[in-house]
């Protein structure tokens, strides 16, 4: 652990508990990124791209290996998880009467896109219910898909507001059983837990670089199962350029025969190579070890917060809950807490109800909850420091602005 922490000099002065927002990159990832940018400064970005095209393809291969894809050509390199998600979603053909199914824990960016497309094409958006633990109810989903003309299942693997891990592989079984397309948003799971698209059975998967994978901001990737590129249920990408579809003659273009058709010529070249470095870094540590350590730290933090009088809001099976911990302090403004902790070099976040509106409404969550997200480089002593600082900050806010709190 000391060697891992040595790759992050900022830990000497800062406590990073916002890995669900943007996790700091380790030294090898940063060094790789900066080396390419410095080379661009010397010879220009186009010259570097020509020199290092093989490095970009090695990054693609690393991401493919990270998620268990069959071949690197199934990976499209993009600038964010949202970009990848939108390009996949808008390429699925929808017609009047079709049904798209999502989950209670769906993220706002995805949900508004579903609303738009269903309105535009006369399709219907359905929300699968959650079970008593807050996970998508797979049995109810199975019945829903059997009863209606479902075209696509969209699932958020891990929501932004807490520790829930949806049963992605079980949803994949439902999708395969009914021959329904399956799009998995894995932006919060890739990097903190082992992912295998073959085992999950998804047709598409999207992820970002800046969260638990610890890559640069402005990077992400999209996995598209190669057989889908010729599937009648798929349309062309909603936008293309000459990289995604070379111009063959005056009136003809030809879509790339791989997931490259979902890319664009202009890209964050240095960042994407560094993203591949981040994938290699994570695999070198071992995704099983990362997952086990993250879950261990998160369980410890949940216990400590409850003992300190906080209300932990995490849904899901306690045995599989992830590294994101959502909680609130009675009578205390979460934005004020976050800012005061930030002033002390402790970085957490506030998750707003509007980001997960269905789940927040269903569970009657506050308009904003505090979110601490651990990673494998955190130490148990840092969690002690965090809870102590949190208690001090909350007491100060309560003393100045609100009735007495247990904290």
């Amino acid at each position: 652990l000391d060697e891992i922490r040595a790759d992050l000099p900022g830990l000497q002065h800062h406590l990073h508990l916002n890995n669900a927002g943007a996790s700091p990159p380790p030294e090898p990832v940063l060094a790789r990124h900066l080396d390419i940018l410095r080379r661009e400064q010397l010879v220009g970005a186009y010259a570097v791209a020509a020199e290092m095209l093989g490095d970009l393809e090695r990054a693609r291969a690393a991401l493919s290996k990270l998620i268990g894809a069959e071949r690197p050509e199934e990976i499209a390199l993009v600038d964010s998880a949202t970009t990848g998600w939108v390009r996949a979603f808008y390429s699925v053909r929808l017609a009047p009467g079709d049904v798209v199914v999502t989950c209670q824990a769906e993220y706002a960016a995805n949900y508004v896109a579903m609303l738009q497309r269903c309105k535009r094409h006369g399709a219907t958006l359905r929300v699968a219910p959650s079970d008593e633990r807050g996970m998508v109810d797979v049995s109810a989903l199975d019945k829903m898909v059997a009863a209606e003309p479902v075209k696509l299942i969209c699932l958020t693997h891990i929501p932004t507001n807490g520790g829930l891990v949806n049963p992605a592989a079980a949803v994949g079984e439902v999708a395969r059983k009914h021959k329904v397309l399956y799009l998995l948003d894995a932006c919060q799971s890739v990097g903190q837990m082992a992912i295998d698209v073959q085992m999950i059975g998804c047709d598409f998967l999207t992820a970002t670089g800046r969260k638990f994978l610890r890559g640069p901001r402005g990077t992400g990737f999209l996995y598209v199962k190669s057989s889908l590129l010729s599937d009648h249920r798929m349309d062309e990408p909603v936008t293309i350029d000459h990289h995604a579809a070379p111009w063959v003659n005056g009136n003809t273009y030809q879509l790339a025969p791989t997931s490259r058709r979902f890319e664009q010529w202009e890209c964050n070249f240095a960042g994407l190579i560094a993203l591949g470095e981040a994938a290699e870094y994570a695999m070198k540590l071992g995704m099983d070890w990362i997952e086990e350590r993250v879950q261990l730290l998160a369980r410890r933090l949940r216990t400590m917060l409850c003992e300190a009088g906080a209300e932990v809001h995490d849904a899901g099976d306690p045995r599989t809950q992830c590294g994101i911990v959502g909680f609130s302090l009675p009578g205390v403004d979460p934005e004020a807490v976050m800012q005061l902790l930030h002033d002390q070099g402790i970085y957490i976040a506030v998750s707003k109800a509007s980001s997960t509106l269905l789940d927040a409404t269903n569970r009657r969550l506050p308009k904003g909850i505090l979110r601490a997200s651990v990673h494998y480089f955190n130490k148990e002593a840092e969690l002690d420091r965090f809870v102590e600082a949190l208690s001090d900050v909350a007491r100060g806010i309560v003393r100045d602005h609100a009735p007495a709190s247990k904290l």
Side-chain angles (χ1 to χ4, degrees), residues 98-112:
D98 285 340
V99 175
V100 175
V101 177
T102 188
C103 63
Q104 289 276 354
E106 189 56 85
Y107 185 58
N110 301 345
Y111 199 84
V112 296

Side-chain angles (χ1 to χ4, degrees), residues 83-159:
T83 294
W85 193 96
V86 165
R87 289 181 184 168
F89 176 69
Y90 279 79
S91 296
V92 175
R93 287 179 175 167
L94 289 181
D98 285 340
V99 175
V100 175
V101 177
T102 188
C103 63
Q104 289 276 354
E106 189 56 85
Y107 185 58
N110 301 345
Y111 199 84
V112 296
M114 291 183 237
L115 288 173
Q116 183 197 53
R117 279 209 77 202
C118 287
K119 179 180 179 181
R120 179 180 294 171
H121 296 284
T124 301
L125 179 59
R126 300 274 193 231
V127 179
S130 299
D131 64 18
E132 67 279 0
R133 295 171 295 181
M135 300 186 294
V136 63
D137 188 324
V138 177
S139 177
L141 174 67
D142 185 34
K143 294 175 182 176
M144 181 182 294
V145 176
E148 301 192 63
V150 175
K151 193 66 160 292
L152 175 67
I153 297 172
C154 298
L155 181 73
T156 289
H157 197 187
I158 294 175

